[in-house]
Amino acid sequence: METTSRMGDQPPGAPGEPGTSTAAPRLVDGFLMAPFRWYSLDEAFTGPRWLMQVGTSADGSVEHGSIGHGDEPSVRSEGAEGDSRERFAVVVTVGASPHRRSADGSGVLEATSVSSAAWLAGVGLLSVTWPGQMDHTLRDDWLEQQTETAWVLADDLDGPDWAVLSLPVDGVATPFHYRESEFGWVLAGSTSQGVHLGAYGRGMSAYGVGFSGVKDIAAYA
């Protein structure tokens, strides 16, 4: 899967600057451009929800996005005091796409799959993880290494690092690939609505979550 520019979290241009608008783009606008249905935790979750970001291909098409639930996650240092109170889950929706030509016609883009959702969820969890006792200058190297590990794990969903967990999607029991680490949990599966789902979190049990389609993404604006 090619990708990803972030829509909605880029700083707007200065008022009056050529090619810019005086109004900053709304975060929800990127979500409204998606040709697929967004998913979040179902109505059993009654806490706060918020939009995070969308990822786009080179031609500007929205390919995936994330919706957060619970506490907005902070970067966690392994063993840091107080982090055990943080409770959040993030749902990643990935539009199902076959192999297709790149925007410049020079190649073929990889099809999206459950592995795509698993990788995005794994990287999402890494983005709010910081190993204890690590110097700031070493974190980029650590993130690069762990991102590669997340891809290797996502590419082997039938391997020993993953278990199978059945969770409801629009009320229908659906199999998900699931794994845990000291930093949280990651899961990934597919729906009957043409999207793949990934999720990650900590402080909330993955065994108790369910997913449903968002009825009105504009309500998040």
Side-chain angles (χ1 to χ4, degrees):
M1 186 174 64
E2 190 185 42
T3 236
T4 57
S5 64
R6 297 182 179 184
M7 299 184 61
D9 59 350
Q10 293 124 339
E17 182 179 331
T20 65
S21 169
T22 56
R26 300 180 306 164
L27 184 58
V28 74
D29 290 343
F31 287 82
L32 291 169
M33 292 170 60
F36 50 83
R37 187 182 191 188
W38 294 104
Y39 274 77
S40 65
L41 295 187
D42 61 21
E43 293 180 354
F45 176 79
T46 58
R49 302 167 183 246
W50 72 94
L51 301 180
M52 295 180 69
Q53 65 184 44
V54 297
T56 63
S57 63
D59 64 3
S61 300
V62 175
E63 292 191 326
H64 60 84
S66 302
I67 298 176
H69 307 75
D71 302 323
E72 293 199 35
S74 57
V75 174
R76 175 180 181 176
S77 174
E78 184 178 6
E81 295 182 3
D83 286 332
S84 61
R85 295 194 299 268
E86 191 176 67
R87 301 178 66 254
F88 71 88
V90 174
V91 178
V92 184
T93 307
V94 183
S97 299
H99 289 283
R100 60 210 189 280
R101 302 296 297 180
S102 60
D104 60 6
S106 62
V108 177
L109 302 181
E110 181 182 355
T112 58
S113 64
V114 179
S115 290
S116 305
W119 181 75
L120 288 167
V123 171
L125 184 60
L126 286 175
S127 71
V128 290
T129 296
W130 190 300
Q133 311 303 316
M134 178 174 286
D135 187 271
H136 287 232
T137 59
L138 299 177
R139 187 172 190 249
D140 286 346
D141 291 339
W142 179 85
L143 278 175
E144 183 178 353
Q145 179 187 55
Q146 293 301 312
T147 298
E148 177 63 25
T149 299
W151 174 249
V152 170
L153 288 170
D155 202 36
D156 186 24
L157 293 176
D158 294 322
D161 293 293
W162 297 90
V164 177
L165 190 61
S166 181
L167 298 170
V169 177
D170 292 326
V172 178
T174 303
F176 282 84
H177 301 276
Y178 170 77
R179 66 179 176 87
E180 292 182 357
S181 74
E182 64 269 37
F183 300 117
W185 50 263
V186 172
L187 57 80
S190 293
T191 77
S192 61
Q193 300 300 313
V195 299
H196 308 293
L197 294 182
Y200 62 93
R202 62 174 175 250
M204 295 173 59
S205 173
Y207 289 84
V209 302
F211 306 95
S212 62
V214 175
K215 295 178 181 178
D216 181 14
I217 195 67
Y220 283 78

